């Protein structure tokens, strides 16, 4: 990129390796490194949850807020694990045990709107010059938790341009209208083209209306979002802003997901790499030996992920000699249903929980990775699968459609296929896909070919980092 470095403040509620509940953390953690190569200097603003504060022991206090939603707060700065972090140390908002979004009984923290509005308020202060010697050209906010930042910045008159990335439209940051004053929303902005959403406040809507540019995490999801079936009530705003909306596909960190030198798995350099990992995985999940494919799933267990469809389709997979190993947590109902199936069926094994190292062993040891999502803005596990020759079986939606080349009578002879896709997203179409999987797996030559194609498919950040850099540059050039 020509010209001087562009300074970007990334505003996010999660970021690896500090705190993670889903793919947003992976993306926020990968962007600074990927973009540095494109001449972008990114700093990442993150809430000071206990897990994050652990990394900030040697941090410097760079800004003080005497009153932020009920108490004083500080902004801490440190470079940790290669990332320039700005952490909002506000114990009254973030020093809480357990899940960063949920209190006990899986309920949202009652003050979530205020917690993340506080983060956005600080982003606005930074955009307005609160830090000595570093003012961002662009503030890049993620999801509803970052949604108020473009609004506060637009209203403050700060020079910074703003980008909002939608990682998942299902989460909209809605709060009752009565909280608008506390959230520092001006009465004249409480309307449908502002921060109002059907009589309530929506932080996501604020971001969608006030950000200079909008992105989402795959080109297909960008199109889907403008349709009522996928827009979850926001499709109208997105249709109105279609010229400012762009889909930029996520990548995965190919240094972390690297089959040749992944410290968490057995060596892939030897041709028996996959076989050894598969054997280990079967032992770990207590699955018997069979001739069929070992399918893995690594997921949050929610409606989005289509796991109820998988429960319905499982008999066909097992009947054809296949197996399932699932790692996940989420809805108590889905957890129970999978545990009950595993108790009855020796070829199904389930681990409830969150386990990064095990997820690597599963991606390495599985033959196929299943992602039957009803909607999937991008999806990362199918890309991890591709990298390790673990063939993805995915629903034809969102980023799943953009990252997998389906095995068809046309793509197979040409050696293009990298996985299996199914549509519509129903139990019967998934059953069909799993049957196709077991047939393909039985044909050793065809299977080896599809694995090779999968492993050769680019899943890193190179081209997407260039797209983000070009987006930032175009905003800076226009100002
Ligand atoms: P989403 O963000 O909707 O949850 P993604 O596929 O984009 O879906 O990202 C999920 C990320 O979280 C991936 O890095 C995946 O490996 C990881 N993950 C999900 N569930 C678990 C789990 N139970 N244990 C370990 N990693 C998990
Ligand atoms: C969201 C989406 C997922 C996407 C991730 C990172 O959590 O559900 O599809 O990959 O964000 O952008």
């Amino acid at each position: 990129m020509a010209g001087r470095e562009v300074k970007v403040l990334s505003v996010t509620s999660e970021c690896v390796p500090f705190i993670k509940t889903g793919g947003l953390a992976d993306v926020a953690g990968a962007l600074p490194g990927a973009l540095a190569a494109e001449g972008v200097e990114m700093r990442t603003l993150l809430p000071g949850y206990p897990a994050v504060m652990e990394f900030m022991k040697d941090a410097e206090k760079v800004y003080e807020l005497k009153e932020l939603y009920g108490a004083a707060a500080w902004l801490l700065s440190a470079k940790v694990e290669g990332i320039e972090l700005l952490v909002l140390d506000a114990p009254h908002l973030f020093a809480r045990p357990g899940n960063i979004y949920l209190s006990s009984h899986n309920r949202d923290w009652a003050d979530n709107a205020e917690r993340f509005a506080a983060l956005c308020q600080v982003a606005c202060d930074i955009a307005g010059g609160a830090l000595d010697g570093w003012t961002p050209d662009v503030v890049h906010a993620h999801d509803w938790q970052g949604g108020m930042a473009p609004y506060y910045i637009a209203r403050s008159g700060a020079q910074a341009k703003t980008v909002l990335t939608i990682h998942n439209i299902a989460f909209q940051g809605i709060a009752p209208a009565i909280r608008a004053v506390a959230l520092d929303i001006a009465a004249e902005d409480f309307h449908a083209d502002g921060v109002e959403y059907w009589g309530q406040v929506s932080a996501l809507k604020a971001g969608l209306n006030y950000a200079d540019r909008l992105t989402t995490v795959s080109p297909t999801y960008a199109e889907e979002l403008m349709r009522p079936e996928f827009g979850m009530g926001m499709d109208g705003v997105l249709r109105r802003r279609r010229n400012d909306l762009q889909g930029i596909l996520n990548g995965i960190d190919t240094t972390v997901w690297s089959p040749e030198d992944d410290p968490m798995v057995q060596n892939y350099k030897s041709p028996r790499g996959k076989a050894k990992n598969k054997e280990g995985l079967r032992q770990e999940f207590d699955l018997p030996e069979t001739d069929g494919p070992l399918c893995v799933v690594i997921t949050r267990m929610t409606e989005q992920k289509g796991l109820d469809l998988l429960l319905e389709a499982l008999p066909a997979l097992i009947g054809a000699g296949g197996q399932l190993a699932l790692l996940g947590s989420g809805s108590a109902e889905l957890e129970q249903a999978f545990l009950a199936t595993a108790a009855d069926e020796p070829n199904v094994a389930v681990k409830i929980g969150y386990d990064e190292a095990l997820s690597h062993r599963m991606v390495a040891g599985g033959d196929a990775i299943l992602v039957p999502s009803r909607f999937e803005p991008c999806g990362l596990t199918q890309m991890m699968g591709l990298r390790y020759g673990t063939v993805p079986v995915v629903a034809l939606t969102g980023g799943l459609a953009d990252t997998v080349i389906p095995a068809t009578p046309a793509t197979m002879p040409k050696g293009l296929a990298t996985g299996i896709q199914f549509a519509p997203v129903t139990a019967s179409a998934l059953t069909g896909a799993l049957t196709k999987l077991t047939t393909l797996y039985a044909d050793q030559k065809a299977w080896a070919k599809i694995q090779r194609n999968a492993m050769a498919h680019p899943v890193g950040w190179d081209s997407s980092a260039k797209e983000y850099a070009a987006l930032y540059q175009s905003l800076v050039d226009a100002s």
Side-chain angles (χ1 to χ4, degrees), residues 165-179:
T165 294
I166 306 158
H167 294 263
N168 195 331
I169 203 91
F171 303 106
Q172 305 185 335
I174 290 176
I178 197 154
R179 308 242 291 269

Side-chain angles (χ1 to χ4, degrees), residues 354-378:
Y354 184 92
D355 188 334
E356 193 83 25
L358 176 58
S359 77
H360 278 250
R361 296 196 292 279
M362 291 173 75
V363 170
D367 294 304
I369 188 156
L370 313 182
V371 196
S373 307
R374 292 196 162 84
F375 69 95
E376 195 60 78
C378 181

Side-chain angles (χ1 to χ4, degrees), residues 22-28 143 165-168 171 216-217 221 250 300 304-305 373 375-383 399:
L24 166 61
D26 293 291
V27 173
D143 270 352
T165 294
I166 306 158
H167 294 263
N168 195 331
F171 303 106
T216 189
V217 288
Y221 195 57
N250 287 335
R300 287 187 294 118
Q304 173 190 348
K305 302 294 179 179
S373 307
F375 69 95
E376 195 60 78
C378 181
L380 300 176
T381 65
Q382 82 282 8
M383 290 198 258

Side-chain angles (χ1 to χ4, degrees), residues 65-90:
L65 295 108
K66 296 220 157 44
E67 209 288 326
L68 185 68
Y69 288 100
W74 294 267
L75 196 57
L76 307 179
S77 168
K79 185 167 185 176
V80 193
E81 307 272 339
I83 298 180
E84 287 286 359
L85 275 187
L86 291 164
V87 168
L88 177 56
D89 181 12

